[in-house]
Amino acid sequence: EAVRSIGYRHIAAGIITALVCVGLIAVSALDLSRAIAHRHTLEEGGISVYVAQTMNPNDPLDAAACARIASGNGVLAAGGYMGENTTADAEWQPSGIRVQIVDLTLGALQVWWPDAPAAGGLFVGSDRAATIGIGESASVTIDGVPLTVQGTLPETVKSSIVQASVVRVVPASGNATECWYRTAPGAAGPLDELASAAFPNQLVGTKPFLEPGTGSITPREILTSGPSGLAWPIALGIAVLLWAAIGIMDRRETAVYRSLGTSRAEFAALLLIRFVVVALPLACLAVVGSILAYIMLGDAWGPDLGMYLLQPVVVFLLGSLVLAVLLPTLTALGAVANAIRE
C-alpha cells in the first residue's frame, strides 16, 4: 500500500531531496578542499615538525637519543641540530669568502628533505648560494681541509638559519642544541611529548616549527567558518517546507485512510515505508558521492575527512525522515468525523 500510494509529488520530493544531498556534499567538499589546501600550506611551513629544546642552556640534548625518536609511531624522521659551529674556520673557494658552518645530523636534514643523500656531506643553503654563487666544482675549506659541496638545499628546508649557511652533516653523536622531528599527517597520540620521553632526565620544551608568515588559523577553523556551516540549517529548512507541503497536499488521502479506520501508528508506518522506498536509493547515491569526493580530495586526514562529507547528508536524511512521517501524521490527529468531512 505504501508503494502503491507513491505519486508524482512524492517522486518530485525525492528528486528535491537528492539535489539537496548533492548540494550539501558539494558545499562540504569545497570547504574541505580549502581546508586541505591550507593544511598543505601549514605542512610546507613546518607545522608537522616539532622542535625540542632543553630549558637549561648548559645541559644540551643527546643527539643519539634524538635520533631514536624516529623509531616512534607516527614519526617520519628525527635528528639533532647542533647549530652554528663557531670554532670552524671556513672559507668559500675559490673566492675565499668566509662562510658560516651549521652542523646537523642526517636525520635532522631528512626532517625537511626526505630524499637527502644518505652519505651526507656538505651542502649550501639556497639563500647563501644566491649571494655567493655555486659552480660545478664549488668547495669549502674548513680548518684548512678542502671539502666539495654536494649541492644546494631544496626550498623544503624551512629553517632560515640553515638556508643562510653552509650545512655540514655530522654523525648522530655528541650534543645537540635542538632536536627536530617530523610527524606523519593524521598521526595520532601526544606527538609533542615524544621528546620528553626521549630525554626523561631533562626539562625539555617542545613546540611546532612554523615558518613566519604562514598564519595561525587552523584547517578546522576554515571548516567551521565556511558556507558548509550554514548549509545544515538551510537544508533542514527546505526539508520542513517540502514535507509540510507534501502533508498539506496529502490531506485528502490522509482523510481516506482515517475514515477507513487506519490507526495513527499504521499510518505512520505507511509514511515511513514510503519515505524509505523513495529516499533509500538517494541515500545510497549520497554515500557514493561522498566516497567519490573523499577519493578525489585525498585521504590525508583519514576517516574524519569522509565522515565530514557524509555527516550533513545523514543528518538531512534523518531529519527529512522525521518530518516526512511527523508532519502528515499531525494532520491525521483529528477525529474520524473530521477526516470524513475532508
Side-chain angles (χ1 to χ4, degrees):
E1 177 62 24
V3 175
R4 187 199 63 79
S5 65
I6 295 176
Y8 291 114
R9 57 184 175 275
H10 305 114
I11 296 175
I15 294 174
I16 294 174
T17 301
L19 293 176
V20 173
C21 289
V22 172
L24 285 172
I25 293 175
V27 172
S28 299
L30 288 173
D31 275 354
L32 272 173
S33 63
R34 290 174 53 241
I36 292 174
H38 183 63
R39 175 70 184 186
H40 289 164
T41 300
L42 294 178
E43 290 285 350
E44 293 174 356
I47 193 65
S48 294
V49 174
Y50 289 89
V51 179
Q53 292 177 301
T54 178
M55 298 300 185
N56 183 0
N58 299 320
D59 186 21
L61 302 174
D62 180 18
C66 174
R68 287 193 290 270
I69 294 178
S71 61
N73 291 331
V75 181
L76 299 178
Y81 169 74
M82 282 65 174
E84 180 184 355
N85 191 320
T86 57
T87 63
D89 183 14
E91 293 182 354
W92 187 265
Q93 300 299 333
S95 63
I97 299 175
R98 296 185 63 82
V99 292
Q100 174 179 294
I101 299 295
V102 166
D103 292 336
L104 47 76
T105 67
L106 178 61
L109 187 58
Q110 290 174 336
V111 164
W112 300 105
W113 185 14
D115 298 326
L122 208 64
F123 302 89
V124 60
S126 59
D127 293 342
R128 191 59 174 159
T131 59
I132 61 177
I134 177 171
E136 294 182 359
S137 59
S139 64
V140 176
T141 300
I142 302 178
D143 297 330
V145 180
L147 298 172
T148 301
V149 175
Q150 304 298 319
T152 305
L153 294 177
E155 295 296 331
T156 56
V157 180
K158 296 301 179 181
S159 172
S160 57
I161 296 178
V162 171
Q163 288 288 19
S165 310
V166 173
V167 174
R168 179 172 59 180
V169 178
V170 299
S173 59
N175 297 327
T177 305
E178 298 177 353
C179 179
W180 299 346
Y181 57 98
R182 177 180 289 276
T183 60
L191 299 174
D192 57 337
E193 298 178 5
L194 288 172
S196 299
F199 311 104
N201 299 321
Q202 293 175 283
L203 185 60
V204 177
T206 306
K207 62 181 180 180
F209 178 96
L210 196 59
E211 185 180 28
T214 303
S216 59
I217 186 172
T218 65
R220 188 162 295 278
E221 288 172 338
I222 289 181
L223 289 179
T224 55
S225 63
S228 59
L230 296 175
W232 292 47
I234 292 175
L236 290 177
I238 293 174
V240 170
L241 295 176
L242 176 64
W243 296 107
I246 293 295
I248 293 173
M249 288 186 288
D250 284 348
R251 289 193 66 182
R252 290 189 176 183
E253 179 183 319
T254 301
V256 172
Y257 284 121
R258 293 289 288 128
S259 64
L260 295 176
T262 303
S263 67
R264 297 187 184 93
E266 291 172 336
F267 182 64
L270 182 146
L271 295 173
L272 175 62
I273 295 172
R274 187 167 65 189
F275 180 84
V276 170
V277 170
V278 173
L280 187 58
L282 305 177
C284 294
L285 179 63
V287 171
V288 171
S290 296
I291 294 174
L292 290 177
Y294 173 64
I295 293 173
M296 288 187 292
L297 288 172
D299 59 351
W301 283 5
D304 289 346
L305 192 152
M307 286 304 298
Y308 184 85
L309 289 172
L310 190 58
Q311 191 176 26
V313 174
V314 172
V315 171
F316 171 70
L317 288 174
L318 289 177
S320 297
L321 171 62
V322 172
L323 293 169
V325 174
L326 181 62
L327 294 179
T329 303
L330 290 176
T331 65
L333 292 179
V336 174
N338 294 332
I340 294 175
R341 281 196 296 272
E342 288 283 349

